[in-house]
Amino acid sequence: MTGLSFAFASPAILAALVLLPVIWWLLRLTPPQPRAEVFPPLRILATILKREETPARSPWWLTLLRMLLAALVILAVANPMFNPRTNTLSSGGPLVLMIDNSWASASDWERRVRTADALIDDADAKGIPVSIAFTAEQGNDATPGAATAARDKLHAMNPRPLVPDRQRAVDAVKAALNGSKPGTVAFISDGIESKDKDDIVNRLSALQPSELRLIEGDGSDVLAITGAANNASDMTVTATRLNGTSPLRLGLTAQDNQGRPIAAGSLDFAGGQTVASGLIAAPFEMRNDFARISVDRYASAGSVHLLDDGFRRRRVALLSGQAADEFQPILSPLYYIQRALQPYADLIQPNSADLAKSIPELLAGNPSIMIMADVGRLPQESYAPLQRWIQNGGTLVRFAGPRLAAAPTDDPLVPVTLRQGERTFGGALSWAEPQPLADFPAFGPFAGMQKPTNVLVKRQVLAEPTPDLAERTWASLADGTPLVTEKQMQAGRIVLFHVSAEPQWSDLPISGDFVEMLRRLVQLSRSGGVASAEGAAKTAEAMPPYRLLTAKGVLTSEIGTARPLEPGIKGAAVASFDNPPGLYGSEEGFTALNILPAGATLKPLDASATGTVTRDGLIGGEAWSAKPILFTLAFLVLLADSLIVLFMNGAFPRLGRSTKTMAGGAAMLMLAISVAVFLHPATALANDSKPGDDTIYSRLDKTHLAYVVTGESEVDHLSERGLAGLSDYLTYRTTLEPGPPVGLDPAKDELAFYPLIYWPISATAPMPSNDAINRIDAYMRNGGTVLFDTRDAIDTMGDTSSPSPNGQRLQQILANLDIPPLEPVPSGHVLTKSFYLLSSFPGRYADSPLWIEARQDTRRDGNAVASSDGVTPIMITGNDFAGAWAVDDNGTPLLPTVPPDETQREYAYRTGVNIMMYMLTGNYKADQVHIPDILQRLGQ
């Protein structure tokens, strides 16, 4: 831009300034009009001694005011102009007009047209041919012609919602000139660098014109939104501007699909800052209704940011087969899933470990996707609502693990038929070495991802071969076995990762590919859990133009010559002549394409060139006349002079002040609200307590052993006396002093207070209700342990082909529980050394093994533990522990051991002590630091 210039449109009028002295002389000699006086006698007597004088000339300040009025009128008639336009075109060749009709020119397009019109008028006056080209047009006929034809082209053109392609326009001009040199080249630019190292000025200088002009606006209205991120609690909008000299505060508006504003925010630029971020605070559900973000008082394709279904933040429900360990969170099955999805989704977890309650609770939150990490059996009543949710568009993602590997193979919520058990490196169904991943197939959500090179799989659950297994496999291992499988279920789908969600089975959870895979699955799901029946991934189909954006930032159904948007295999799609910004797809689903890619910045155009470049501004904003301002000031001075003359001539008599005061009183505000506060502290304290709280409080001061009340008095009496005997032994032998044993009804009583629940199985007792089973399952998930005792070791010694009645009842109970794979306590397990050194676990009988959760990898770690906290959630025995521990009030055993042996009873007590220490200390004794002490005690 050139410096400030000044000129008079009619300089001859300034000669009237020589008349100012004459005007001063005339005004000075003109006296004011005499003042009229009333002539009452008393008034004459009162003023007879006063000396009144009437001035013969006007006051000097009034004369000066009238001279200022005359000077303002003379200057206004002379029409002073600031930054007057001087357009002297070169006659050495045709006038070349190259105009940016990009999205950034929409805000001041009329000024650009007037500027180009003025240049065409100058060329028409001199008979110079005009060549005109537009940089946002796919084709240009820049052949020099008459000024009338150029003017028609100019007025028929409109700004386009595109980034200018200046190289194409220069090539069209160069071809039209055919080697001849232009006279004046005028480039009316939007002032933005269209690409890195934009050398358009040098290219125009290479045409060897007699004069090169660069005409720009001030760039104050050039702004674009370059990104929007849907965060956990708000939305972040990023924008960039061209002119960053002064601070700027802008308003942001979020609109829905109907164009209605539903939320607002702000965006602040500091002085000298060209990139800034703003926030729109709104609830999660409202943010998912955002269809577009716009900047208030700006009307261009850049100030509007379109949003599609991929922008909407999904709600993801998380379920785990076991409780999270607060002290070792990285061992939790959900830890890596949470870390991977937290930036992209809203994660919700149930408040209860009871799946019969937590699954309906999660489904009530209308999640888009539900992730289950190593969940085997579900409560029977949970299958129907889950299946309905999936059929309506939900996505269920499951991860394998020990529980799923041990679950029945007829689970309807897995995409393929699984083989029971898992395939392990070094096991019977094993590889010679851990397997890497194969290339991702061309279909499915992982298409286009690079094959991970740092991921090895050591364990997996296998799928039974079926004819459609290859079509359902989204990822596989190098040996061809599936890693991720999928099944459509009406509008929804079920996805299964055949490895666990923690890095015990594979390296996938600790790789960056795990984050990308989960992110793609979340984006594949429909927000709100609703999708059409054709909601399958169609990654290879082109999307037709649905709604396109105009240069003013308005969506229109006119698609013109726009072509379908091809899927971006090599990256995100970029707006072009073939694919203008807008929405591509259909009303059921579409993809948004914005004017600028994410993270783009607006940079000023580099005007340096090998030749001389003259920089001018646009007409209509830079050139302006001071004539209206001067006439306005002259009118105000004339008005002031008139008022002064009227005042001096007595036109405004002095108004007498009234001696009466205003009558009336102010209305008083009456406080007529009476507040009655009734406080009943004693009643309130009493209402805070609930029935049964006294019993709970009495059980919080000490550790209590608990047993399940079966309803059979003899069995329950032995359970109570057995745990009482074990409690006395613990008090005598250890620092633990348990309280009295507690009998529990799993369907009603709180189970979380007890580290161990002893459950004597009786075939003649009533079958526990579903509520009791579900609460026991939740108790086990939260870290509790249930010791099932069938008490039938003596009955199964001779026949092992079929279970005993108590064993059959146990199978019925376990069929409704999500239990992990089981194994007899192996040598070296924590249970063998938690307090006493044991090699077997007898009770009243000694022939039944003690079954616990199978360790993850017994071949590589002798001290490996079953779950994340090191405590198995389930124990099964038939040795009748309570029968061996049971004593009367005098401490005398109630039942003999089989065979009668007091040493066996002593070891039964020791077994109980080890079990309780294991419950309370977890994997403490599994630490290798205790090995030297143990070996020293053994004398080795």
Side-chain angles (χ1 to χ4, degrees), residues 597-619:
T601 57
L602 299 180
K603 300 179 181 179
L605 179 65
D606 185 8
S608 60
T610 55
T612 302
V613 179
T614 303
R615 306 189 68 172
D616 291 327
L618 298 175
I619 289 180

Side-chain angles (χ1 to χ4, degrees), residues 77-345:
V77 174
N79 193 11
M81 298 289 296
F82 289 86
N83 291 331
R85 188 180 68 86
T86 56
N87 288 314
T88 304
L89 299 180
S90 173
S91 302
L95 168 65
V96 175
L97 274 177
M98 193 171 81
I99 304 174
D100 276 340
N101 61 326
S102 62
W103 65 270
S105 64
S107 59
D108 55 0
W109 179 248
E110 297 300 327
R111 291 179 58 194
R112 295 173 184 275
V113 171
R114 289 199 300 270
T115 303
D117 259 332
L119 293 172
I120 294 174
D121 290 341
D122 292 344
D124 192 14
K126 292 188 175 182
I128 299 174
V130 180
S131 171
I132 189 169
F134 300 91
T135 59
E137 294 299 315
Q138 200 162 6
N140 280 290
D141 181 11
T143 304
T148 304
R151 189 178 293 107
D152 292 340
K153 289 182 182 180
L154 174 65
H155 289 280
M157 191 54 59
N158 290 309
R160 307 292 186 191
L162 296 169
V163 175
D165 189 349
R166 292 162 180 161
Q167 181 59 48
R168 180 179 300 200
V170 170
D171 292 342
V173 170
K174 186 175 181 180
L177 293 177
N178 195 20
S180 62
K181 296 181 180 180
T184 298
V185 173
F187 177 28
I188 304 179
S189 170
D190 59 16
I192 305 174
E193 191 176 67
S194 62
K195 59 182 181 180
D196 291 338
K197 299 180 180 179
D198 193 348
D199 59 347
I200 182 62
V201 179
N202 274 325
R203 292 182 179 274
L204 292 175
S205 180
L207 298 176
Q208 299 181 357
S210 301
E211 180 189 17
L212 176 59
R213 295 184 184 179
L214 178 61
I215 304 174
E216 299 173 322
D218 58 4
S220 59
D221 293 334
V222 180
L223 179 141
I225 300 177
T226 57
N230 201 351
N231 305 318
S233 58
D234 51 33
M235 188 185 66
T236 301
V237 179
T238 304
T240 177
R241 61 173 177 168
L242 183 62
N243 188 344
T245 55
S246 59
L248 181 63
R249 183 179 181 85
L250 301 172
L252 298 173
T253 300
Q255 300 173 338
D256 60 9
N257 286 324
Q258 305 299 323
R260 296 169 297 193
I262 56 177
S266 61
L267 179 70
D268 294 320
F269 286 92
Q273 187 181 17
T274 58
V275 178
S277 296
L279 294 177
I280 298 180
F284 165 80
E285 293 80 5
M286 184 179 293
R287 281 183 280 121
N288 275 356
D289 289 335
F290 290 177
R292 55 184 284 173
I293 309 297
S294 59
V295 181
D296 298 345
R297 301 190 304 276
Y298 282 74
S300 71
S303 62
V304 172
H305 192 77
L306 301 176
L307 307 173
D308 54 22
D309 191 63
F311 164 81
R312 293 177 173 86
R313 192 175 180 90
R314 270 58 168 181
R315 176 169 288 169
V316 179
L318 302 179
L319 276 178
S320 174
Q322 66 185 47
D325 191 337
E326 297 180 358
F327 301 100
Q328 294 178 315
I330 62 175
L331 299 180
S332 169
L334 295 177
Y335 176 78
Y336 299 94
I337 297 175
Q338 291 171 328
R339 296 292 296 271
L341 291 181
Q342 202 163 14
Y344 310 107

Side-chain angles (χ1 to χ4, degrees), residues 379-461:
Q380 193 62 37
E381 60 269 26
S382 299
Y383 283 95
L386 269 175
Q387 288 174 328
R388 287 194 300 269
W389 172 75
I390 296 172
Q391 291 169 358
N392 288 334
T395 299
L396 175 64
V397 178
R398 302 188 68 174
F399 283 85
R403 285 177 172 79
L404 184 61
T409 58
D410 58 349
D411 191 341
L413 295 181
V414 292
V416 294
T417 304
L418 300 177
R419 293 183 181 179
Q420 197 164 23
E422 70 265 17
R423 181 189 188 195
T424 310
F425 169 59
L429 295 173
S430 67
W431 313 276
E433 58 184 10
Q435 289 289 301
L437 270 63
D439 292 328
F440 292 106
F443 61 91
F446 309 140
M449 287 181 59
Q450 295 294 325
K451 177 182 69 174
T453 58
N454 58 344
V455 173
L456 293 176
V457 177
K458 303 177 283 294
R459 267 176 191 256
Q460 68 174 149
V461 290

Side-chain angles (χ1 to χ4, degrees), residues 581-595:
L583 304 177
Y584 289 80
S586 62
E587 186 176 359
E588 288 76 18
F590 48 78
T591 295
L593 181 62
N594 288 290
I595 186 71

Side-chain angles (χ1 to χ4, degrees), residues 516-538:
E516 180 62 19
M517 293 171 76
L518 287 182
R519 188 188 68 83
R520 293 194 179 198
L521 287 178
V522 169
Q523 294 299 327
L524 185 65
S525 65
R526 293 283 181 176
S527 71
V530 178
S532 63
E534 297 79 22
K538 299 179 180 179

